[in-house]
Amino acid sequence: MLLPSGGEVAVSPTEEMVFSAALALPEQSRAQLADMLWTSLPEERLDLCVPEEVRQGWAEEARRRMQDVQTGNVSLLPGDEVRGPPSPPDAEMNYHFHPDAEDELHGTYEYYEAEREGLGRRFGEAFDEALVRKRG
């Protein structure tokens, strides 16, 4: 099967039929189908949908940041200084981020969204879910 990106992938005749039928759907239906398929994947398998070059970019960025810390180009802040005092369990979630962290968060969203439409949104949702889990 020839992919829109120009690459090819081997698929079974049944998969070919399903893919062809899905591509013939109106844009709105394809978007709904894509969302349904995406959310059907277990969280630990979502990385299958991330292109290899994006995963490599993540690894390179992690190495760059670690090198910046090790060489002293950046300094780490104590967790309490970044997070502030803990909230009582029944308090409303109210987070404040350092302006640099906020800029980085927005930049990361924009990067993922530019890589693949909807990926930035998924990143934002995962980030929000992580905040909720951290609070819990």
Side-chain angles (χ1 to χ4, degrees):
M1 168 179 242
L2 187 61
L3 299 173
S5 62
E8 284 194 56
V9 64
V11 296
S12 72
T14 302
E15 290 169 326
E16 176 77 40
M17 235 173 31
V18 170
F19 294 153
S20 294
L23 290 173
L25 293 170
E27 191 174 282
Q28 180 66 32
S29 297
R30 289 195 322 268
Q32 289 173 330
L33 176 60
D35 191 55
M36 288 171 58
L37 292 171
W38 178 270
T39 57
S40 74
L41 292 172
E43 188 171 328
E44 65 273 7
R45 302 299 292 168
L46 291 178
D47 67 334
L48 292 173
C49 301
V50 178
E52 182 59 30
E53 62 269 15
V54 173
R55 278 186 261 166
Q56 289 174 2
W58 289 342
E60 290 170 18
E61 180 66 13
R63 282 191 293 274
R64 183 191 65 76
R65 290 179 184 202
M66 180 57 76
Q67 185 177 13
D68 282 347
V69 170
Q70 291 171 339
T71 60
N73 289 336
V74 298
S75 57
L76 300 176
L77 297 173
D80 291 345
E81 187 176 325
V82 175
R83 286 187 300 271
S87 301
D90 60 344
E92 182 179 316
M93 270 181 44
N94 189 12
Y95 289 93
H96 299 282
F97 294 99
H98 187 280
D100 291 342
E102 197 168 310
D103 288 345
E104 185 171 346
L105 180 62
H106 291 295
T108 303
Y109 169 87
E110 290 169 6
Y111 170 79
Y112 289 135
E113 198 61 31
E115 286 296 312
R116 179 174 292 161
E117 188 175 341
L119 195 54
R121 177 183 55 82
R122 294 290 298 171
F123 166 77
E125 290 170 354
F127 185 85
D128 290 344
E129 288 171 14
L131 287 178
V132 170
R133 280 195 306 271
K134 179 68 177 161
R135 183 177 181 267

